[in-house]
Structure formats: C-alpha cells, structure tokens
Amino acid sequence: MPRFLVYAPDYPDHLAQRYAVRPEHLERGSKDPKGMMLYSGPLAPRPGTAQRNTTPPEGQLNIAGSFMVYQMNSLEEVWDRLKEDVYWRANIWDKEKLIVEELIDV
C-alpha cells in the first residue's frame, strides 16, 4: 500500500487557535484505523521567523505546523482525511502551503 508524506504548516500567528482545537484533532486521530498513520508530529517554527523567537504560554510547545506519514490506497484518500481534520476546517493549516507527496519504496 502506498505511503504519503504530508507537510502542513500553520498560518502565521495561529498558535492559540491551534491549541483551542487541539483536543478535537487528537481525538480524531485516535479513531484512525491501526496502521493508517505511520508517523506524525508537530513542526518547530522556521529559523528567522517571528514565531521562532516567541515564547509560548507555560506548558505549551511552540508549534508551527504538522507532518504526517499515512499509508493509504490513494492520494485522494489522504486529501479526504486531511479535509476532515479540525486543523483544516478551522483554518489552522495553511492550505496554500500544505503538501502531500507519495513516498517511494526502495
């Protein structure tokens, strides 16, 4: 089954909005079938950006986006899954910069 890498940066200055909907994002992810999400995690702010030098509120990470590796049947299935996510629906992920690429098995 194909694997897909997703790079999903957040819109700038959306850390508070991200944390407001994060419980729903995590809950949705916990319902994915076993083996669909191979790996995922938050992205750090890029060097040279204002957010990189921002101190987040106590107990929060300075997150600037997400990355995921999905194992799914098609690119269309990946996009369908992403569009169900609250980070997509709440305009946390920058939809113009979000990238999905198929990985090659070597």
Side-chain angles (χ1 to χ4, degrees):
M1 185 177 299
R3 293 173 301 137
F4 298 90
L5 173 67
V6 177
Y7 167 75
D10 292 352
Y11 286 107
D13 303 317
H14 274 62
L15 186 61
Q17 295 93 321
R18 169 184 269 272
Y19 272 100
V21 297
R22 190 168 190 246
E24 183 180 338
H25 168 76
L26 297 175
E27 172 71 19
R28 173 61 182 91
S30 72
K31 294 178 181 176
D32 284 338
K34 185 174 174 73
M36 183 167 110
M37 171 82 66
L38 300 178
Y39 199 79
S40 66
L43 297 172
R46 297 184 71 149
T49 62
Q51 186 176 345
R52 182 71 173 225
N53 298 319
T54 301
T55 302
E58 180 75 27
Q60 293 183 357
L61 299 172
N62 196 4
I63 300 172
S66 309
F67 81 94
M68 293 79 71
V69 176
Y70 285 109
Q71 186 164 321
M72 301 179 88
N73 290 316
S74 68
L75 182 63
E76 293 76 21
E77 283 186 13
V78 176
W79 278 107
D80 288 346
R81 170 60 184 89
L82 293 172
K83 290 176 181 179
E84 290 175 0
D85 198 289
V86 68
Y87 287 167
W88 177 277
R89 293 183 285 110
N91 294 312
I92 305 302
W93 288 331
D94 186 333
K95 295 172 184 172
E96 298 296 317
K97 294 181 180 173
L98 195 146
I99 298 170
V100 181
E101 296 288 346
E102 186 172 354
L103 300 171
I104 298 173
D105 285 324
V106 292

